[in-house]
Amino acid sequence: MERMYISDLYEIDFYAWTQEQVSLLKTQHWDKLDTVNLIEEIETLGRKERQELRNRLGVLLGHLLKWQFQSEKRSNSWLGTIREQRIQIKLLLQDSPSLKPYLDEVFLAAYELGLALAIRETKLGEQVFPEVCPYTPDQSMNPEFLPESN
């Protein structure tokens, strides 16, 4: 398959392009690889892992806020979401241990996402919730931790 065709294939049929790239890698045909698009896709994969960590942490923090600040509406569904997000984050960090330092780095952004979720889903005013996350990353990930009611 010619280089120009492989590059065109990227735009026309992404799955076929990925299979062709895998085949070229396995057979060590380095000169035939679509390196420009391959580099872009690998970079994108790394960003997606970071985004998934941030988003899952945001959902977790949002539900911890709901648990704390709307205690009268606590449900097994909220508890299930808290548990599931902790498990998914743990699995993500097991699969990609180099993301672990990013957990602390992204914590503030994740809190903003969680705060937005809590405000939207509880219909409580923004002033009800703390400006700064009341939980540490360790508390948030601790399966035994649930915040007390306010």
Side-chain angles (χ1 to χ4, degrees):
M1 197 174 287
E2 292 180 28
R3 186 174 180 82
M4 182 57 100
Y5 176 70
I6 292 172
S7 210
D8 292 340
L9 190 58
Y10 177 80
E11 299 297 331
I12 297 167
D13 186 342
F14 181 74
Y15 180 74
W17 174 84
T18 63
Q19 298 311 294
E20 182 62 24
Q21 296 306 294
V22 168
S23 176
L24 292 170
L25 286 165
K26 285 180 177 178
T27 58
Q28 299 182 5
H29 286 107
W30 313 121
D31 58 323
K32 295 181 181 180
L33 286 169
D34 180 6
T35 54
V36 171
N37 288 318
L38 198 54
I39 290 167
E40 182 180 324
E41 289 304 319
I42 291 171
E43 286 175 338
T44 299
L45 285 173
R47 282 192 300 273
K48 285 182 181 179
E49 291 289 300
R50 289 168 55 115
Q51 289 170 346
E52 182 177 353
L53 178 60
R54 183 192 63 222
N55 292 341
R56 288 192 176 280
L57 188 55
V59 172
L60 172 59
L61 294 174
H63 278 75
L64 289 173
L65 287 170
K66 288 168 48 174
W67 188 268
Q68 181 175 1
F69 291 91
Q70 203 171 45
S71 58
E72 71 280 0
K73 293 192 175 182
R74 287 179 181 167
S75 69
N76 285 334
S77 173
W78 288 2
L79 193 56
T81 298
I82 290 168
R83 285 183 181 144
E84 178 185 357
Q85 294 310 311
R86 284 176 172 156
I87 291 167
Q88 292 291 350
I89 291 168
K90 184 177 101 181
L91 292 172
L92 184 60
L93 294 174
Q94 285 174 352
D95 288 346
S96 299
S98 63
L99 283 174
K100 199 162 192 135
Y102 184 65
L103 185 72
D104 292 333
E105 182 183 324
V106 76
F107 201 74
L108 293 176
Y111 182 66
E112 289 181 28
L113 292 172
L115 185 58
L117 180 146
I119 292 168
R120 181 180 67 248
E121 291 188 5
T122 64
K123 309 272 190 282
L124 297 173
E126 188 173 341
Q127 70 282 358
V128 171
F129 300 100
E131 282 185 42
V132 176
C133 187
Y135 328 116
T136 66
D138 286 341
Q139 284 176 319
S140 301
M141 290 302 299
N142 181 344
E144 303 298 317
F145 174 75
L146 286 171
E148 296 295 322
S149 303
N150 260 21

